[in-house]
Structure formats: C-alpha cells, structure tokens
Amino acid sequence: MNKKKVLTGALTALLAFGCTVSVTSFAATEKGIVGTIKGGSDQPSGANIEYWGPEADLTDSSGYTISYDLYVPANILEKKQPPVHVDTQLAFFVPGIEKGGCMKAEAFDFGLDDEIWVNHWDEATQTDMDAPYAKVSKVDDMYKASVTDIAIDPKLYSDEWDDSINDNKAWTDAVPTAASITPRINLYKESSKTYSTKFSVTNVVVKKNGEVVFTPDVSVKDVIGGNWVDADEKYTELAAQSFNTKGLTLGSAKATVKVGKKSTIKVATMFAGDKVSVKSSKKKIASVSYKNGKLTIKGVKKGKANITVSSAYGKKTVKVTVK
C-alpha cells in the first residue's frame, strides 16, 4: 500500500470538508474493574472493588500477598483535607455453608499536603509509620497507588461486622478446605462535601509463598468481579473496562472551519459513560454539539470563538477560527 498516497487522500478529504485540525496526543488507557465511591456530609463514605478468584484450601492460610494498582481521579484529593484510606483484604466464600469471610492486610492512607504522602497507623506505638509496600504518584489526571506484595495476615474473619469492637467478627466455623478466594480493595474517603466519583483497581496479583496463584484476565468481556457502594448499600457485578488516565482529552485544541461547513474533533473521557457538556462562547460565529465521543463544530460566520468542553473530570477549550 502507498502510505503517502493514502495520507494525501485523507488530507484532501479534510480540506474538501472545509476544516483543518491540529492533532495533539490522545488518550492514555489502562484497564480494570471501574467502581464508584460516594460519600461526604452524612453519607457513608466507603466502597470496594473485588476480583473473583480460584478455589483454595485455607487450612494453611499463611504466606499470601497481594499486589495491585489503585487509580483515583486527582480531584478526589483536596489539599490538607481527609486522606484516602485503603484496606486490602483476601476475601473468601464457602459454598457448602454459604458464608463468607476475609483475611486482612495492614491498612494505609494517602493524602495531599504540600506534596503527596502515604503512611499507616501503628497501633502498638500509636503513631503514623511508613508504608513501604505502597508508592503513590501522579499519573496524568489521576493518582496511582502501586501496592507491591502487601502481606495478608492469616487470621480468618467473618464478613459480619461487630460495632462493639469496630471490626469484623472472628471466623467461628470450621476452617474451609475449599473456598473461593477474592482480592478485595476497600476505599474510604471522608469529606465535608457530598461527592460521587469513579475509581479503578488494576494489575492484581495474588501470591502464596512467592508463587502466583491468581491474576485476573481483564481482556475478557465477561463479568469478573464487582463493586460495593456503602452509600447505596448495593453490589454490582462488573466486567473490566478501559479508562483514560489523562481525564477529559481532546483530539485537537484548535479548529479552522469555513462558513457553512463542519469540523469534528474526537473526545475521550476518563471513564466510559461520563457526561460531557459543550458550550460556544459566540454561537453566532460557531455552534457546537456533542455525540458519541465527537464534537461537531459548525461555522456560522467569519470570526473566532472558544468551545468549552466539560465533564466531572476536567474542562478543555477548543479555539475556533471561522473563515
């Protein structure tokens, strides 16, 4: 195939359509289960994402570790406000008795002061300590908490909560010899304002004594886990989906269009289904509409206008020249 000929033909088609577009780098994608967390004000402020795993014999529950990447939108962290609290569990379910429980890892927090910090609360010393298994970094318009081989305590707990001890009840049934194990990442975020935001857990690896025993296949279209939201008291089964760490992203920040002609620009949202709103600063010069991941800009009369594109995870501007 003559690539030069194909490219020339594409440019000719654009010019005939009456528009020119300057292209910038587009979406940066990751893939995993995407869940929702809601909270603030008087609402419960917790949620979790879990991946359904294989069967295991828990008569020897020692030696388990979990690694994963947790992605949260940057706007969930407010400077010098309550941090994100992360609680890592290896949950299990015993089909014969229809009961579930969990084993727990050390919980940790991360927040934003003058810079990102991460630590865990040490009960023995009643102080904040380093959390060497967790590294938090800014990735585009998201924060990424990379957790590496966090150790799971072998003690078995029930899924039932005991308010008197502010913890799960102890597991009192027989130690399960055939239970399905499920890495579960719990998230908590207090806020004085009511909020609702999405988040994702990716790259999950469960090991026992250093050997990988489970890593979910996020390439499949099937349901592979779920999301529990405290505020809704609801569990939703989910498949993995792609998300864009750059947040709201435009295929171009500029467009030139002739009067009476149209120009289209691709739009990538942070998460699938994000609501997008668009507005023209001068409707008498350029009008705009949005549908199915595309802006359509129409030249009305000669001049310049700005198109504002907004979602819950960002705001962008397209500078439009109508000739």
Side-chain angles (χ1 to χ4, degrees), residues 65-94:
T65 62
I66 300 179
S67 299
Y68 59 88
D69 291 328
L70 165 66
Y71 285 88
V72 297
N75 61 5
I76 198 174
L77 283 188
E78 304 164 290
K79 197 169 185 180
K80 298 186 178 180
Q81 293 298 310
V84 174
H85 179 80
V86 185
D87 183 13
T88 308
Q89 298 179 351
L90 186 61
F92 59 88
F93 182 76
V94 187

Side-chain angles (χ1 to χ4, degrees), residues 148-182:
T148 305
D149 292 332
I150 189 170
I152 302 295
D153 190 307
K155 183 178 179 179
L156 305 185
Y157 291 87
S158 165
D159 264 346
E160 294 182 72
W161 187 260
D162 188 339
D163 285 329
S164 66
I165 60 172
N166 195 34
D167 202 351
N168 295 77
K169 293 181 179 180
W171 181 262
T172 56
D173 289 278
V175 175
T177 58
S180 56
I181 57 173
T182 299

Side-chain angles (χ1 to χ4, degrees), residues 117-140:
W117 56 265
V118 56
N119 60 34
H120 79 92
W121 177 254
D122 184 70
E123 286 291 340
T125 61
Q126 293 290 292
T127 57
D128 288 323
M129 305 283 284
D130 289 338
Y133 44 78
K135 305 294 182 185
V136 180
S137 59
K138 184 80 180 295
V139 178
D140 300 320

Side-chain angles (χ1 to χ4, degrees), residues 4 6 32 36 72 98 110 132 140 147-148 161 185 190 195 209 217 220 232 263 292 295 300 304 309 318:
K4 185 176 180 180
V6 171
T36 299
V72 297
E98 297 298 307
F110 64 94
D140 300 320
V147 177
T148 305
W161 187 260
I185 314 304
E190 294 181 358
Y195 70 89
N209 299 325
D217 182 1
V220 300
D232 297 337
S263 171
N292 298 332
L295 292 179
V300 180
K304 294 184 178 182
V309 187
V318 181

